[in-house]
Amino acid sequence: MPRTDATRGGVARCRPVLALILSAGLGQMPGAALAQGQSWGAAPAQQPPRVTDSQIIAMIDEGMTALNAGDLPLAYDRFTTANDITFKSDDFGLTAKHLPNLALARYAMKTEDWGELGRFSASVATALDVEGYRDHPYRIEAMAFQGVVAYLDDRLNEAELILRAALAATEGRPELAIVNDLAHYYLANTAFQVQAPDATALRQSYLEAPAVPGSWVKAGEVALLFYVDVFVARGQGDSPAALMMLYEEFLDLVDGHADIDPQMMSFYRGFLGLLQFEAGENEKALETFRVRHEFLMENGPIDDDFLFNVQRLAMTRRNLGDIAGAYDFLAQMMEFARTYLPGSGIYAIFEKDMGDFQVALGHPGLAQPHYRRAYAILRQTRPTSDPEVLAVRPLIDLDDPGIDGYAHADELRAVADLALELAGDGVPLLTQFFQGRYLNLDAQLGLLNAQGQGGDPLFLTNRALFFGLMGYRDRALRDLEAAGAALGHGTAMLDLVELVARAWGAEADPGAAQGAVDRLLARLDDLDPARRSAALALIAYRDYRLEDTPAVLAGIDRWQAQAPAGETGVWHLFASAIIVELAASQLDPSRAAPLADAFEAAMAGAPDLSLLRDYGRMVAIANAPDTLGSADVEVELGGLLRRMQARLPRHHGLIALTEFALGNAFQWRGELDRALVWLDRATTTLRSHPFHDTDTLAFVLSEQSRLLIELGRTDQAALIAREAYEMVDPQTGRPNPVSTIVSNFAYAILSRTEDHRRVAEIYARHLDDPVYADRIPPLAKVRQLIAYANELMDFAPWDKVRAVLERAEASMPDNGFDIRGWQASLDWSRAIAEYRFDQADYGFARMRASNATLAQVQEDLRAAGITEVSRGPELRNRAAWTALIGWDYAQTLPQ
């Protein structure tokens, strides 16, 4: 990712900002006539002359002139009049018919009515999502508006997806310069929020671009983006002195601008104080912080930003030698602020600083109460593994008399010596990782590196294992390469760690682990039983990532045959958890349950490995759909998630999987709004992983589109479904997620257009392609063939429908899994097809068989204690069809 270099290009970065700020407000927004299509259809000759496409366009042009001139009532009148006309008739070309909705979206953008902006723009974007119109200017503009709405509604994953598409579609199209500018600006903001790899490049390219006349983006918004750019540059380590000079120039440009209110200017100047402080300009910083403090005391608000300014002002006074004054000022302000903010976590910083001030004044005993209070404040909301908690803990003297009666005394005394022992088998490191002590491992490895052990192969092997477990694949591979070079040859341990890094810690490109797999299989005897168990499990897991089901099943069998009896080593327990994950998704429950039970029993003897135990339990739930219907499963998953978030980095794949499982659990119960929230969170976590898999990300986004359809938000769903579909290659992508993405895309198009031919074409394009159809899982193929047949019923002959249904029947797998639900679905579709085409008994026998199968499945679920979402609408539909088919069939029988 390109770094911000504040020492170069300062003028270039400021010039567009200045040009925009000095411009006289918003320029003229685009009118109607960008690229009109031909009119579709014509009015019957006997009717009065209809309103023509050109008249609609003229009406919109008149409204746009009024909108640009600030005459909002006239603009709204013209837009709504045109909309009423086009809404009531299909005798307009596609672009003219939907232009009024786009104009109303522009009106909503102007008036900042975000709900209406989303409604009208979604209508245009999805209505023009047809062949020949997908890159039409109206559709691209509507997409950009949708991206803005998603960003403002904090739907950041959706916003990024849409805005990237809009930006790409407007590149090199001068007629869409305003739309490009809007998409670019909001994408730059979104990329910063989601920590996208190209966030800095997007932000800087926007700031360096010439100002666009008529831009929707206001001067204050550009100023905020510039502040963000400097803020990020500071975090990336750019020179504070250089940033300070650049930022001072920026403040001179924006000072007094009507688009930036005094509160925001005060905020910007507060950041200047921080840059001055870090550049060693303490006198300047003191004055900047003092002026901001006086402003906030007079104008408010008394919030966390106020407290940060207080803390910075105190630290500046300390740097200037007024330590006692800094202490008194913090104490006074903390007492004052607690009237307004009784529970702010920033008071922990105050207490810690006050303790440091007492130490600097020569009173270490007086510092201890402050350190203890800082620790107590932090522990109210943060786990013991939190970095700030770990930073305060060593400052507390357990021999100080005040420790007696302290609420956290036992917790502090119980902290064991967490020094890391480097071992050739990696057991101490793996143990601490599965105890949830990744932050301690990070600190200990940093300490060992600082002590000069960074080139030692033993250190490199252990650090590679740590990076692999954390998901930092490339860092792990670099250390493994260095360790192998130092040893002069590879070892089974290095191959084992490579497999951890490539297959378990990161999802992307598991096929690259083939070399490590081949070498491990040849060197298994070089490993002790526990690591041999892990090697076999990880090889099976690599095959699972590749979706090679026969290899996974063979790998599970091989592991069971060779697993060391009675082994309790952490590598073997790790292997057991992996096998639980594989079994839950690949084996019948009758075979998977004993493996999960054996893991639970083994973990009873290792209570300190709490993260490993939670991993095994979570994957047993997440990968076995039936368990998602058990009582209180969301409560258990919620507890697992909270514990994992406290013991793993935020990007870790186990966190994303748990969030996705919560989404599935709420879907099972029919709570789709809550399910959608958890799928969005899983998307955010997936995106933050340094080596996330694009197919998985597209899959989760696609699943969100399916839920949106169920919630009635079809316009929004259709756009997300298409963008997710465009992210993958159906011929080369991972078969499981890709097949679901294709199905969800077809479902979205059907829900939005009810165009059966178009949906059937989507299925035909893929199912008639053997490269795709022969790769996807059997049940995915069955599902798509059933859906394909359902669409064909609307227009195709019986022979074609029957052939597709028979192909679905032939694709039913015989792998020991319970497929009765799928058979019921296939029989249902076959029954309706036979009825619609007057075949045999009109499908009556198949309909009865389908109903009986479904009833038995439901009965078995109830007997197993599994709570199923209400299927009332489906069952009523089945009853209606059964009655209809039965009645018509009865009329054919002899009296």
Side-chain angles (χ1 to χ4, degrees), residues 310-311 314 326-334 350 353-354 357:
V310 165
Q311 191 261 349
Y327 178 90
D328 292 340
F329 177 66
L330 271 185
Q332 175 191 352
M333 285 296 103
M334 187 160 58
F350 279 31
D353 288 345
M354 291 167 73
F357 293 163

Side-chain angles (χ1 to χ4, degrees), residues 334 338 347-355 370 373-374 377:
M334 187 160 58
R338 275 192 164 133
Y347 296 135
I349 301 174
F350 279 31
E351 293 284 7
K352 193 262 183 189
D353 288 345
M354 291 167 73
H370 292 295
R373 284 194 290 270
I377 293 169

